Amino acid sequence: MLNFDFYNPTQILFGQGQIAAIAKQIPASARVLLVYGGGSIKQNGVYDEVLAALADFTVTEFAGIEPNPSYETLMRAIAQVKAEKIDFLLAVGGGSVIDGTKFIAAGALLEEDPWTILEKRGNNIVAAMPFGAVLTLPATGSEMNSGGVVTRKSTHEKFSFMSRKCFPKFAVLDPSKTYSLPTRQVGNGVVDAFAHVMEQYMTYPVGAKVQDRFAEGLLLTLIEEGPQALANPDDYDVRANVMWCATLALNGLIGAGVPQDWATHMIGHELTALHNLDHAQTLAIVLPSMLRVRKEGKRAKLLQFAERVWNLSGGDEDTRIEAAITRTEEFFEQMGVKTRLGDYGLGAKDLDGILSALEAHRMVKLGEQRDVTLDVSRKVLEMSL
Amino acid sequence: MLNFDFYNPTQILFGQGQIAAIAKQIPASARVLLVYGGGSIKQNGVYDEVLAALADFTVTEFAGIEPNPSYETLMRAIAQVKAEKIDFLLAVGGGSVIDGTKFIAAGALLEEDPWTILEKRGNNIVAAMPFGAVLTLPATGSEMNSGGVVTRKSTHEKFSFMSRKCFPKFAVLDPSKTYSLPTRQVGNGVVDAFAHVMEQYMTYPVGAKVQDRFAEGLLLTLIEEGPQALANPDDYDVRANVMWCATLALNGLIGAGVPQDWATHMIGHELTALHNLDHAQTLAIVLPSMLRVRKEGKRAKLLQFAERVWNLSGGDEDTRIEAAITRTEEFFEQMGVKTRLGDYGLGAKDLDGILSALEAHRMVKLGEQRDVTLDVSRKVLEMSL
């Protein structure tokens, strides 16, 4: 096991009816800015429940955080925070809203241009405003971690940042609020969570038995419950399991003490920035080819994955490995997320642009062994055509 | 899944060499009281490493925290804290030292007699001094939770308390510091962690798939690594897995959103208070009989335990359940912890005293269904003779 430093102070209020509990978590005299995206929270009752819970606070709103939240939008929110002397932020939505709120929380207290947060990957954050989250879309895990991803539209750049100042004070996870999610978002969320686990699990063995078994437990649960969430949208326990899986997939726990990959995510970010694909779509395209291209370096864990997650024990090693990757691909397709560049109208003509973007962003030695060069990334993308 | 409120802000510094990192975690001007037990930390190098790490702080010491820390001893520590104007506590040792330090931290700031912390189960704690922990004995999980157990020698009472004010700020877990532990403490620690998982896992199903798989992952790892820790005391990864298992067995995560039992612990506490058995010995005695006596209420989870943890799928249900309980018993014995009251010189003549103590402490409706009456506890103890 590798050495690690694990810290996660976010309080999780999980279950039906927990939105009502947020008032106790916010300082009594706080001036609260409600940060949200489009109108879905007004249709599923979350908006009304949140306002009812905040009846005793001064509340203003910032709507319009888009999927893949943009620097441009978030800078307008920071201006509002300053103008209205806001001292507590409440993110209501999915990962994009929560990521955006983290950027607002840190950017509002920064002396320099908040874009530097992305240039410096969060290392220049010295303080952040306190904020909470009401999660409506299980996917990114942002509700219980300290990272975020922000896109600058003007330059087609999508960067991540992380800072221990950026943990939500609390997050409300009410599975019943996910019943009304569109099918596409349910599928995307399950694929996103699955890929998060894989980035931390599918590397090489370091004898970390607990982390491996926790990761496998999340993968098995996503495989069982993901299709159920599509088939029976109102099943509370199914939604609860998917929601808790997505949070635990990226709260730091399964990644503590093990190598981590993240090459799939880095290539995926370029695909979203250049071609506006959903984040989960990019992961479904890149991950299977990434595993095939890097089979040798990941052989031991791929065999473990085949046996423990897909229950594949017959045949030779390469057969089992290929079967496990194929099953993974089929699972993504079953969740309604297509796994080929061609499914999204992209082709060989687009690869140079993606590779140029990776090079421009210095993404030239990716992965747990730093051996995913541009040549390897090209092979991965070619295999995903 | 049941609703839950999960919160755990303890920072974990895990791995060889991490003791050196504690200086950065303690406020620069702090007056630190080092709290420890007997002399083992002076023999295994931990004491010297801690003092070296604290070279820039004002440090005094309180030694002599005993196994099953006593109210009487801890009150002397509280007097020292006040006399020396201590403002940070550092527990160096196992669960007893850390539990004791939590009591000191809360008791030193309490207006009323600190014994009320135990009478009121921690509900009267409004503040606690900040404290950290350097763990030397993986077992109780105290290093990453907010609970403690304290014994009043004068009245033979052993009570637990819990408060969100009582999380360690940080805990150092260096597996290499456990190489020199006596066999008995290694065995006790593994049994203790195993029993902690069982108290949260072995109840009835509520559709909480992640919690179940995490619990099973811990049990499987303890079963694999526990005997290895006895056979190869200097294997770093084995010690690391045992250590991280013990912490995760009782940090609140696997118990969030599921029913919990704890009847075994409550009976065990009386055995320790009256007859001075090691905590893990009492669990090894009580748990197997507890499962047999309450087989019907726990049937579904016992079958899941038999299949997923002990890989038992043949035969009828009752055969599989009995086999799983027997394997559990054999595992405790393999870890060097005897499973019968008679092994410790106790017999039928002692049962009335134990049951009277349970009654005096109002432990008359224990377990996840509140159906462990004194009659049930008597049956359990009779089966453990």
Side-chain angles (χ1 to χ4, degrees), chain A residues 1-18 25 144 164 169 206-211 213-218 220-221 224-225 236-237 240-241 244-245 248 251 253-254 256 308, chain B residues 1-18 25 144 164 169 206-211 213-218 220-221 224-225 236-237 240-241 244-245 248 251 253-254 256 308:
Chain A
M1 200 183 300
L2 309 182
N3 279 10
F4 65 83
D5 175 352
F6 175 80
Y7 171 67
N8 193 320
T10 300
Q11 179 178 1
I12 299 294
L13 297 159
F14 193 102
Q16 196 153 16
Q18 291 279 31
Q25 310 300 330
M144 199 186 184
R164 289 200 167 178
K169 297 293 175 201
V206 294
K209 294 193 172 189
V210 176
Q211 291 90 327
R213 287 202 166 101
F214 279 20
E216 289 152 359
L218 294 174
L220 286 165
T221 306
E224 286 172 10
E225 303 289 76
Y236 181 84
D237 279 333
N241 284 324
W244 196 215
C245 271
L248 292 171
N251 81 337
L253 184 65
I254 64 166
R308 294 195 188 174
Chain B
M1 199 184 300
L2 309 182
N3 280 11
F4 65 83
D5 175 352
F6 175 79
Y7 171 67
N8 193 321
T10 300
Q11 179 177 1
I12 300 294
L13 297 160
F14 193 102
Q16 196 153 15
Q18 292 277 32
Q25 310 300 331
M144 199 186 184
R164 289 200 168 179
K169 297 293 175 201
V206 293
K209 294 194 171 189
V210 177
Q211 291 91 325
R213 286 203 166 101
F214 279 20
E216 288 152 0
L218 295 174
L220 286 164
T221 305
E224 285 172 9
E225 303 289 76
Y236 181 84
D237 279 334
N241 284 323
W244 196 215
C245 272
L248 292 171
N251 81 337
L253 184 66
I254 63 166
R308 294 195 189 173

Side-chain angles (χ1 to χ4, degrees), chain A residues 9-310:
Chain A
T10 300
Q11 179 178 1
I12 299 294
L13 297 159
F14 193 102
Q16 196 153 16
Q18 291 279 31
I19 290 175
I22 61 177
K24 284 188 191 163
Q25 310 300 330
I26 301 174
S29 60
R31 294 172 60 86
V32 180
L33 182 69
L34 211 65
V35 181
Y36 60 98
S40 67
I41 64 167
K42 295 194 176 171
Q43 280 143 35
N44 62 15
V46 171
Y47 178 83
D48 291 337
E49 273 189 52
V50 167
L51 282 192
L54 297 181
D56 293 337
F57 295 86
T58 304
V59 180
T60 55
E61 302 184 15
F62 184 90
I65 306 284
E66 60 274 74
N68 303 306
S70 75
Y71 168 73
E72 290 83 353
T73 299
L74 299 173
M75 288 305 290
R76 289 194 291 112
I78 289 174
Q80 184 174 338
V81 163
K82 291 179 176 174
E84 295 180 350
K85 300 191 193 315
I86 297 295
D87 48 23
F88 197 95
L89 305 174
L90 183 63
V92 184
S96 295
V97 171
I98 302 170
D99 281 10
T101 300
K102 289 174 183 173
F103 185 83
I104 299 167
L109 301 187
L110 202 71
E111 297 285 328
E112 47 189 345
D113 178 353
W115 182 250
T116 57
I117 290 173
L118 298 161
E119 290 176 334
K120 298 176 184 175
R121 297 294 189 261
N123 288 319
N124 58 332
I125 295 173
V126 291
M129 297 172 57
F131 66 97
V134 176
L135 183 68
T136 58
L137 172 57
T140 71
S142 186
E143 64 279 5
M144 199 186 184
N145 67 37
S146 61
V149 184
V150 170
T151 299
R152 184 148 70 169
K153 286 183 191 170
S154 62
T155 55
H156 291 287
E157 289 172 305
K158 184 174 180 180
F159 289 151
S160 59
F161 66 98
M162 193 175 281
S163 165
R164 289 200 167 178
K165 304 294 180 189
C166 288
F167 282 102
K169 297 293 175 201
F170 63 85
V172 172
L173 280 63
D174 179 345
S176 70
K177 300 305 179 200
T178 70
Y179 292 165
S180 58
L181 281 172
T183 301
R184 174 166 160 180
Q185 291 192 1
V186 176
N188 279 349
V190 169
V191 169
D192 195 14
F194 193 98
H196 287 160
V197 177
M198 291 293 277
E199 297 278 26
Q200 300 162 87
Y201 165 73
M202 185 46 66
T203 59
Y204 55 87
V206 294
K209 294 193 172 189
V210 176
Q211 291 90 327
D212 278 4
R213 287 202 166 101
F214 279 20
E216 289 152 359
L218 294 174
L219 296 173
L220 286 165
T221 306
L222 288 167
I223 291 166
E224 286 172 10
E225 303 289 76
Q228 290 298 318
L230 294 179
N232 307 305
D234 296 354
D235 185 315
Y236 181 84
D237 279 333
V238 166
R239 296 295 195 162
N241 284 324
V242 168
M243 202 165 203
W244 196 215
C245 271
T247 299
L248 292 171
L250 198 53
N251 81 337
L253 184 65
I254 64 166
V258 297
Q260 301 195 19
D261 186 336
W262 297 102
T264 294
H265 269 71
M266 294 307 108
I267 298 176
H269 284 178
E270 304 300 352
L271 277 169
T272 295
L274 291 172
H275 300 289
N276 209 29
L277 270 60
D278 293 351
H279 176 55
Q281 292 171 341
T282 72
L283 304 173
I285 292 168
V286 177
L287 181 60
S289 301
M290 185 69 79
L291 299 179
R292 289 190 173 101
V293 169
R294 294 166 64 197
K295 183 170 72 171
E296 291 316 319
K298 295 176 181 293
R299 178 171 287 271
K301 290 303 276 288
L302 280 166
L303 288 166
Q304 183 176 324
F305 172 65
E307 182 180 341
R308 294 195 188 174
V309 175
W310 293 113

Side-chain angles (χ1 to χ4, degrees), chain B residues 354-375:
Chain B
I354 300 164
L355 289 160
S356 297
L358 282 169
E359 185 168 20
H361 300 141
R362 294 188 294 267
M363 301 290 171
V364 296
K365 287 185 181 177
L366 298 173
E368 68 273 15
Q369 304 276 23
R370 319 298 292 156
D371 59 358
V372 182
T373 60
L374 289 178
D375 281 349

Side-chain angles (χ1 to χ4, degrees), chain A residues 292 295 317-327 329:
Chain A
R292 289 190 173 101
K295 183 170 72 171
E317 285 188 4
D318 289 328
T319 305
R320 295 204 295 279
I321 288 172
E322 177 53 33
I325 297 171
T326 301
R327 296 285 288 274
E329 238 165 8

